[in-house]
Amino acid sequence: MNIEPIAFFRSPFSTKFGIPRQSGLVEQIIGEIVLEPAYRHVEAIRGLEHFDYLWLIWEFSVNKDAVKSTTVRPPRLGGNQRMGVFATRSPFRPNNLGLSCVKIQEIITDGPDAPRIKVCGADLMDGTPIYDIKPYVTYADCYPEARSGFVDDTAWTELEVVIPERFQPVFSTEEWEGLEKVLALDPRPSYHHDPSRVYGMPFAGHDVRFRVEETVLTVVEVI
């Protein structure tokens, strides 16, 4: 089977570093689905305005040459315990395919590249190819009592985030709220614990630099 992108994603993340590890964790992150010219017609999204969420099938496009394995080390387990790749949502998968559920914020029918779909809570990098879009339907897609494997047994503690107010004018209100939430999820590799190390995270056209000491993340510079 040969598949081609039907859309590409616009995101405030220009690299994969810092992207939330699952969709829906940071609803303040706003992105856009831009359809390819062959599908850039209102008819292609007719009826979509009656749905709240979408499933996106997309590609981990920067992992094309990454080494693949039948086991991976999930960040949720601290990066030091192996699980089967098909028992995780690791980005290092045999076919590099990702699956995300995102919330529709707005369907834009006028202007450049219209129609475009503005969504919240995506975990996609800027420029990510999208191969299919499907509406989320509660009767088939929602199983609130389902077990979630090792995720049920491993709590994820958010960091306290300190961003000096002098950096606030650099971002819009929406970007500022999204940045705080992204940093609270701790974007560092799970095995990094050096409190003196300064990390750089591209976000919304800026380089956000921070360090983490115990449970407190402090932004030290925005370039």
Side-chain angles (χ1 to χ4, degrees), residues 1-80:
M1 180 176 65
N2 181 44
I3 59 175
E4 298 292 337
I6 54 93
F8 286 86
F9 198 75
R10 291 178 182 167
S11 166
F13 293 99
S14 58
T15 70
K16 63 181 181 180
F17 185 81
I19 296 176
R21 293 185 174 98
Q22 301 293 336
S23 60
L25 293 181
V26 185
E27 194 167 293
Q28 296 88 344
I29 296 298
I30 308 301
E32 285 191 356
I33 300 167
V34 181
L35 297 166
E36 284 290 87
Y39 307 100
R40 201 173 293 165
H41 305 285
V42 174
E43 290 82 1
I45 59 170
R46 181 181 297 157
L48 199 59
E49 68 274 11
H50 300 300
F51 292 89
D52 287 330
Y53 288 86
L54 297 174
W55 288 109
L56 304 180
I57 299 173
W58 50 278
E59 180 185 5
F60 290 103
S61 51
V62 296
N63 290 350
K64 288 181 178 179
D65 299 322
V67 176
K68 306 297 170 58
S69 174
T70 55
T71 62
V72 295
R73 295 173 176 170
R76 190 70 174 247
L77 296 176
N80 53 20

Side-chain angles (χ1 to χ4, degrees), residues 16 37 47 51 56 61 65 97 100-101 107 128-129 134 144 194 207:
K16 63 181 181 180
F51 292 89
L56 304 180
S61 51
D65 299 322
L97 290 179
S100 297
C101 186
I107 298 175
T128 294
K134 299 177 184 291
D194 183 357
D207 185 16

Side-chain angles (χ1 to χ4, degrees), residues 54-123:
L54 297 174
W55 288 109
L56 304 180
I57 299 173
W58 50 278
E59 180 185 5
F60 290 103
S61 51
V62 296
N63 290 350
K64 288 181 178 179
D65 299 322
V67 176
K68 306 297 170 58
S69 174
T70 55
T71 62
V72 295
R73 295 173 176 170
R76 190 70 174 247
L77 296 176
N80 53 20
Q81 183 176 342
R82 285 196 171 272
M83 299 291 289
V85 65
F86 300 127
T88 75
R89 296 191 176 187
S90 168
F92 300 101
R93 316 194 67 78
N95 288 314
N96 292 326
L97 290 179
L99 177 67
S100 297
C101 186
V102 297
K103 184 177 182 180
I104 300 173
Q105 184 186 68
E106 182 183 4
I107 298 175
I108 303 167
T109 56
D110 296 314
D113 299 329
R116 309 189 311 275
I117 308 168
K118 185 178 288 189
V119 299
C120 310
D123 54 346

